[in-house]
């Protein structure tokens, strides 16, 4: 954590060598092939019915993408420089992969759910839609302690909304009408696509000697945020993390191109949806301070989440605290079922006073990051992405209650760093 993230590390050079070998096609082929195997295993073995339904469709999509990548690799070996194996063709295969492994399952499961299949959505979708209905009717997406306690024991978990108030906006369409296109996942996917498209256009807006390498790095970052199974599966079955991640990536892209005010607004919008964006906002503000734009960035990065909290705070302060403070800390009427075999969970369950030990380790990581930011704040968007990526990875591994799917945040943040570094270079600087 204390290493100088602004300098190119040997690990970054090794990654670049692997990433660019064969025009990027061997890694494309490996990504799609391994993903196809993962989807097939999920379809055959998962105990979660939405996951199995995703795996059935995604296996076909990944397999076709792998065949396309294999064909491109063969064509490239026979005819070097052919457009069929170029960057545009790789973008086309990536778009096809995302459409068939994420967007198609979203639409299919939404239609099936609208037709009466109650096993075609994870709890997050139901929670967000209920939050939207409460926001439209009562002005707050949260139920208070007494209201949750009055629910049947089997429904109390779904009574909690452990998100920031902005997440309820994705549930408003379902509050207005009951149709497949009002499924919260459809709107998660739409916002994700728009934010990622804006990030790509932002990073590719300037020309220069580094543009070809930058554009290839941007493609890899998009793949990490879309077609990786951890992302495609999450969007198809739950989806609430993807717009948060996409807005964070957009914020970093805006930072890399010298737009700190807009970067603050983008990460602030993400922070109004979920707490996972708050660490990114803090590190971005530290970056902006080195550019003498700290206040401008902080107004959006911290101001938007505060503005989202104020109305619901005025409507029912206790309900807000119950949902976004007590429940995530394990002090609600029920505990979160989120768990993965990461060190934090193992420590919390296997050691005496394990939760205190895990909490102490989390605090130690937070202190280390704070010291790093105070002593050497990041001076580039790439360094900001690396600090956020490694910091969130450490936090996810050490949290007592977490989900495997949360790894999509650090993976995408770490993979986008090379694209940010290349986008930040001036045209007159050699790559």
């Amino acid at each position: 954590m204390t290493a100088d993230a602004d300098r190119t590390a040997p690990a970054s050079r090794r990654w670049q060598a692997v990433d660019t070998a064969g025009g990027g096609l061997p890694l494309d082929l490996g990504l799609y092939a391994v993903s196809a195997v993962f989807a097939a295993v999920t379809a055959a073995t998962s105990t979660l019915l939405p996951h199995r339904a995703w795996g059935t469709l995604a296996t076909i999509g990944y397999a076709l993408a792998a065949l396309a990548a294999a064909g491109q690799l063969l064509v490239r070996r026979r005819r070097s420089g052919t457009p069929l194996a170029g960057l545009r063709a790789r973008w086309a295969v990536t778009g096809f992969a995302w459409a068939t492994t994420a967007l198609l399952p979203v639409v299919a499961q939404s239609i099936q759910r609208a037709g009466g299949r109650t096993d075609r959505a994870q709890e997050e979708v139901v929670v967000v839609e209920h939050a939207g209905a409460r926001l439209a009717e009562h002005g707050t997406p949260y139920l208070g302690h007494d209201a949750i306690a009055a629910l049947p024991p089997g429904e109390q978990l779904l009574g909690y909304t452990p998100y920031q108030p902005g997440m309820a906006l994705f549930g408003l369409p379902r509050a207005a009408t009951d149709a497949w296109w009002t499924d919260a996942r459809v709107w998660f996917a739409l916002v994700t696509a728009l934010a990622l498209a804006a990030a790509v256009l932002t990073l590719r807006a300037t020309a220069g000697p580094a543009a070809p390498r930058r554009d290839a790095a941007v493609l890899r970052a998009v793949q990490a945020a879309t077609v990786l199974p951890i992302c495609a599966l999450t969007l198809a079955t739950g989806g609430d993390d993807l717009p948060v991640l996409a807005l964070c990536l957009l914020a970093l892209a805006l930072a890399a191109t010298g737009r700190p005010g807009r970067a603050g607004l983008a990460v602030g919008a993400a922070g109004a949806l979920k707490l996972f964006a708050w660490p990114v906002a803090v590190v971005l503000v530290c970056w902006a301070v080195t550019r003498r734009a700290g206040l401008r960035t902080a107004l959006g990065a911290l101001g938007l989440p505060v503005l989202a909290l104020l109305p619901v705070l005025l409507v029912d302060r206790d309900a807000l605290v119950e949902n976004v403070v007590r429940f995530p800390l394990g002090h609600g009427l029920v505990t979160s079922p989120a768990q993965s075999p990461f060190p934090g969970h193992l420590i919390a369950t296997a050691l005496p006073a394990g939760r205190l030990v895990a909490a102490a380790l989390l605090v130690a990581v937070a202190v280390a990051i704070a010291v790093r930011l105070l002593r050497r704040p990041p001076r580039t968007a790439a360094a900001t992405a690396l600090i956020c990526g490694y910091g969130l990875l450490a936090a996810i591994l050490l949290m007592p209650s977490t989900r495997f799917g949360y790894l999509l945040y650090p993976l995408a943040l770490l993979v986008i760093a090379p694209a940010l570094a290349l986008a930040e270079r001036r045209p007159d600087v050699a790559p």
Side-chain angles (χ1 to χ4, degrees), residues 27 98 135 159 279 286:
L27 193 55
W98 195 46
L135 179 64
C286 293

Side-chain angles (χ1 to χ4, degrees), residues 224-225 228 230-231 245 248-249 252 276 280 342 385-397 399 402-417:
L228 273 181
I230 197 173
C231 296
L245 173 63
C248 289
L249 298 180
L252 290 167
F276 260 102
V280 180
F342 294 146
L386 290 175
I387 293 173
C388 293
Y390 286 123
L392 284 175
L393 178 61
I396 291 167
L397 293 178
M399 285 192 298
T402 187
R403 295 183 187 275
F404 183 78
Y406 291 158
L407 289 176
L408 62 88
Y409 287 98
L411 285 174
L413 290 169
L414 294 174
V415 174
I416 200 176

Side-chain angles (χ1 to χ4, degrees), residues 233-288:
L233 171 61
T234 299
L235 182 62
T237 60
D240 57 280
D241 287 296
L242 268 300
V244 180
L245 173 63
L247 288 168
C248 289
L249 298 180
L250 173 58
L252 290 167
L254 291 167
T257 52
R259 304 170 192 176
R262 296 182 183 182
L265 290 172
V267 78
L273 301 178
K274 205 165 186 179
L275 279 172
F276 260 102
W278 288 26
V280 180
V282 171
V283 181
L284 259 178
V285 171
C286 293
W287 162 84

Side-chain angles (χ1 to χ4, degrees), residues 316-331:
D316 194 334
R317 178 180 62 85
D318 290 337
L320 173 66
V321 173
E322 178 70 21
N323 284 264
V324 302
V325 178
R326 296 196 188 106
F327 178 73
L329 292 177
H331 299 297

Side-chain angles (χ1 to χ4, degrees), residues 13-378:
R13 290 194 292 269
R14 287 194 295 269
W15 161 252
Q16 184 179 7
V18 173
D19 182 29
T20 58
L25 289 170
L27 193 55
D28 286 354
L29 175 58
L31 167 64
Y32 299 136
V34 172
S35 298
V37 173
F38 178 90
V41 171
T42 300
T45 65
S46 178
T47 58
L48 301 174
L49 293 180
H51 288 210
R52 297 186 69 153
W54 169 82
T56 301
L57 287 176
T59 299
I60 300 172
Y62 284 130
L64 292 175
L67 288 174
Q72 289 177 309
L73 190 57
L74 290 174
V75 170
R76 184 180 187 274
R77 289 178 176 176
R78 292 183 178 181
R79 295 172 51 197
S80 179
T82 175
L84 294 176
L87 191 60
R88 288 187 178 180
R90 291 177 61 205
W91 271 106
V93 175
T94 298
F96 170 82
W98 195 46
T100 54
T101 65
L103 301 183
L104 179 60
V106 164
V107 173
Q109 294 201 27
S110 298
I111 292 175
Q112 291 170 356
R113 182 179 174 223
R117 292 291 301 269
T118 59
D119 59 351
R120 285 297 180 263
Q122 289 188 170
E123 291 86 351
E124 296 93 325
V125 179
V126 178
V127 167
V128 169
E129 291 175 352
H130 287 174
R134 288 192 291 268
L135 179 64
E137 186 174 354
H138 304 294
T140 176
Y142 305 116
L143 287 176
H145 179 277
D146 293 341
I148 297 174
L151 295 173
E155 299 178 14
Q156 289 180 353
L157 179 61
L158 294 180
Y160 279 100
T161 306
Y163 309 118
Q164 297 304 290
M167 189 65 75
L169 297 178
F170 292 98
L172 288 178
R174 179 53 61 95
T177 185
D178 189 358
W180 73 265
W181 55 269
T182 62
D183 190 294
R185 289 169 294 184
V186 173
W187 298 91
F188 290 150
L190 178 62
V191 172
T192 299
L194 291 175
L196 287 177
V200 170
L201 292 175
T202 299
L203 291 174
R204 298 181 62 184
T206 58
R213 288 174 52 201
R214 176 206 61 200
D215 293 347
V218 171
L219 171 60
R220 190 66 74 204
V222 170
Q223 289 175 333
T226 56
V227 300
L228 273 181
I230 197 173
C231 296
L233 171 61
T234 299
L235 182 62
T237 60
D240 57 280
D241 287 296
L242 268 300
V244 180
L245 173 63
L247 288 168
C248 289
L249 298 180
L250 173 58
L252 290 167
L254 291 167
T257 52
R259 304 170 192 176
R262 296 182 183 182
L265 290 172
V267 78
L273 301 178
K274 205 165 186 179
L275 279 172
F276 260 102
W278 288 26
V280 180
V282 171
V283 181
L284 259 178
V285 171
C286 293
W287 162 84
V289 169
T290 68
R291 300 296 185 93
R292 298 182 180 179
L295 179 59
R296 202 177 351 149
T297 305
L299 285 176
L302 307 179
L304 282 181
V306 170
L307 287 176
L309 285 169
L310 281 178
V312 298
L313 184 66
L314 295 175
V315 172
D316 194 334
R317 178 180 62 85
D318 290 337
L320 173 66
V321 173
E322 178 70 21
N323 284 264
V324 302
V325 178
R326 296 196 188 106
F327 178 73
L329 292 177
H331 299 297
L333 291 170
V334 293
T335 57
S336 172
Q339 60 182 24
S340 292
F342 294 146
H345 176 69
L346 298 177
I347 291 171
T349 55
L351 297 180
R355 282 191 168 270
L356 292 178
V357 174
L361 292 173
L362 274 173
V363 171
V365 169
V367 170
I369 296 173
V371 171
R372 163 66 165 86
L373 293 175
L374 290 173
R375 293 183 60 185
R376 245 185 342 225

